[in-house]
Amino acid sequence: PREAATAASLGVPRVGRATHLVVHAHSRPFVKLLEALENYTEMHVLDASATFFWVDCFCVRTHDAQDVAKLMGEITRQIGLVALVFDPWNRPVCLRRTWCLYELAHARANGAKVHLATSRSGARELRLEAFKQDIAAVRTAFLDGIDVRNSSASLETEKRMLLDLIRANNPSRQVPGDDAFERLNGEVRAAVRAAFDLHLTHLSSFVHSTATGQAADSKPALVSHASSSALAEIEREVERRMSIHG
């Protein structure tokens, strides 16, 4: 926050106090993350000039991971809103990543709202599936797969560190031993279930408003205005950072 405030005061563009904490899987392409955040900004009719995403690969240095993990409760409390990137929407990788589950548990424990972010194609597929079949069955399938003990991280040392923190001090309650993992799994499932149902409501409302022309002037164009070469350069740098931790 201090560095962001300093950069903002110096007039650095697109830097400011975070309004959303982004929970995403580092193993997914960076362009997919941008697509999801672009669509999220559009669906929620956010002012792009006043919307700032806290993305870990830009905010966390590798050797600071343990300190950040211990401060995650305070980070989620101060930001207050999580954008959970569902990619792909029907098999979200984020729900199988240790860091993501840990962040979601802290968000739930500290009263932060959790919203889903999907790409336009993901949102379209989700809407079609909601009409074609019982969407609750799809939701149950990925919710049942949530288990922090079976999750993965880019660095095994970071997974062990996070599991040790969960054992010692569950983000939701002081629960010792393996019971802490079950408690965390339950908290994450509750947060994701609520976010998924809310996303369906937002999606329906957005489709209706777009059809009637109400959202025509609110498209932020985060990705489409970037040149392909610049975007490729950004993606290479981010993938390098993502490969280090997460």
Side-chain angles (χ1 to χ4, degrees), residues 23-25 27-28 84-97 100-101 104 116-118 138-139 141-143 145-146 192 196:
V23 174
H24 68 111
S27 57
R28 299 297 296 163
L84 174 62
V85 179
F86 253 38
D87 177 39
W89 77 265
N90 56 344
R91 297 185 306 279
V93 177
C94 59
L95 300 185
R96 302 192 295 274
R97 303 294 288 180
C100 295
L101 299 181
L104 285 172
L116 295 196
T118 58
V138 177
R139 181 188 65 185
F142 60 69
L143 288 178
I146 293 174
V192 174
F196 186 81

Side-chain angles (χ1 to χ4, degrees), residues 137-188:
V138 177
R139 181 188 65 185
T140 299
F142 60 69
L143 288 178
D144 287 349
I146 293 174
D147 190 338
V148 69
R149 289 164 295 195
N150 297 328
S151 63
S152 60
S154 297
L155 295 177
E156 186 62 27
T157 54
E158 289 196 358
K159 177 180 177 178
R160 290 197 299 267
M161 177 264 292
L162 292 173
L163 293 183
D164 286 344
L165 287 174
I166 294 167
R167 285 193 192 95
N169 182 18
N170 182 273
S172 302
R173 296 286 190 276
Q174 289 284 348
V175 183
D178 288 343
D179 288 343
F181 299 136
E182 281 304 319
R183 189 59 178 257
L184 182 141
N185 292 339
E187 294 287 354
V188 172

